[in-house]
Amino acid sequence: METINDTNISNIIKASLKTSYTYADYRDLVTDLVGRESTTGNDKSEDMVEYTKLNDKRMKRWDKTIKLTDNSLSRLANFKGNVTWIVITESWCGDAAHVVPPMAKLAEQSDNISLKLVLRDTNEDLMNQFLTNGGKSVPKLIMVETETLEVVHTFGPRPAAATKLVADYKAKHGMITPEIKEDLQVWYNKDKGQSTIDELLTMLGV
């Protein structure tokens, strides 16, 4: 992807970064919301609260179990740039619960990557700049040069194989159903974050 150099986007990014969370702060936020029977986002329905509870458990599991292979660590060590990963997310998002922990694992291992999380519903201007097929799909990672805030790449909401799984199902059945959501969870559990890690390393050019 070519660098997007737009003053308006740069200002939107600056504004969003002011309300951003570190991964540790985001995890604390989600855990706190679970304790208060609440959720991020504009929709505070019982369903969204339940999704947040489920995702808190998923993230806790992934935080403990996701591993970076020797090959992944070697590739990461070859990255010499300096970037910030701005991730648009919400606590109720199932994909985010599987995709954000491997992002955090990579950023944790590199002094050249700063991970910042922002909430979709309170950063509408940013979200509207990075739609997926016209929709406000999350998680969405925006990679910017840390010094200039120039956008150099994006990723999300899912790794390619998961995206294809959903697209193929939708093409066959015409809609998203509970069955495909279950299939997607099975895929994430088998993949263990490795597709996300591989695609992010490729995005870094290593």
Side-chain angles (χ1 to χ4, degrees):
M1 178 181 293
E2 291 184 6
T3 297
I4 301 170
N5 191 359
D6 184 289
T7 303
N8 185 47
I9 293 177
S10 179
N11 288 336
I12 291 170
I13 288 171
K14 283 178 185 175
S16 294
L17 283 171
K18 289 178 181 177
T19 66
S20 67
Y21 298 86
T22 65
Y23 184 66
D25 287 342
Y26 178 73
R27 293 293 297 111
D28 287 345
L29 169 68
V30 175
T31 301
D32 179 61
L33 288 168
V34 168
R36 294 190 284 114
E37 297 281 326
S38 189
T39 179
T40 64
N42 296 333
D43 183 350
K44 307 291 185 185
S45 67
E46 188 176 331
D47 282 349
M48 293 303 186
V49 170
E50 289 303 312
Y51 291 144
T52 290
K53 289 179 182 177
L54 179 60
N55 291 335
D56 186 46
K57 291 177 182 176
R58 286 170 173 159
M59 286 188 285
K60 281 178 181 173
R61 184 178 80 246
W62 288 133
D63 287 342
K64 291 177 182 176
T65 60
I66 285 178
K67 304 294 184 187
L68 295 179
T69 65
D70 289 344
N71 180 57
S72 292
L73 288 168
S74 177
R75 290 171 68 188
L76 184 61
N78 287 327
F79 177 62
K80 306 304 180 187
N82 199 319
V83 297
T84 298
W85 286 352
I86 304 164
V87 180
I88 308 172
T89 189
E90 291 287 356
S91 65
W92 47 257
C93 176
D95 287 299
H98 294 292
V99 171
V100 175
M103 292 175 179
K105 194 69 71 172
L106 277 171
E108 183 183 281
Q109 294 295 321
S110 176
D111 292 336
N112 298 335
I113 303 169
S114 174
L115 177 65
K116 300 293 184 182
L117 295 102
V118 301
L119 301 178
R120 185 190 74 171
D121 291 354
T122 50
N123 288 274
E124 195 170 0
D125 287 345
L126 182 68
M127 184 74 260
N128 286 336
Q129 296 288 336
F130 298 96
L131 302 175
T132 302
N133 299 322
K136 298 180 179 180
S137 300
V138 292
K140 190 75 169 188
L141 184 154
I142 304 148
M143 185 167 83
V144 302
E145 293 286 352
T146 298
E147 192 173 328
T148 64
L149 297 185
E150 289 181 350
V151 179
V152 291
H153 229 306
T154 63
F155 169 90
R158 305 180 183 103
T163 298
K164 186 177 187 303
L165 181 72
V166 174
D168 288 350
Y169 187 92
K170 196 172 181 180
K172 184 176 180 180
H173 299 277
M175 65 178 75
I176 300 298
T177 67
E179 285 74 22
I180 185 57
K181 290 182 180 179
E182 200 169 300
D183 289 348
L184 189 58
Q185 297 310 316
V186 170
W187 183 90
Y188 278 124
N189 288 336
K190 286 182 178 178
D191 183 71
K192 296 180 171 57
Q194 296 308 305
S195 291
T196 296
I197 289 166
D198 179 65
E199 289 182 33
L200 290 173
L201 289 168
T202 299
M203 186 179 75
L204 290 171
V206 295

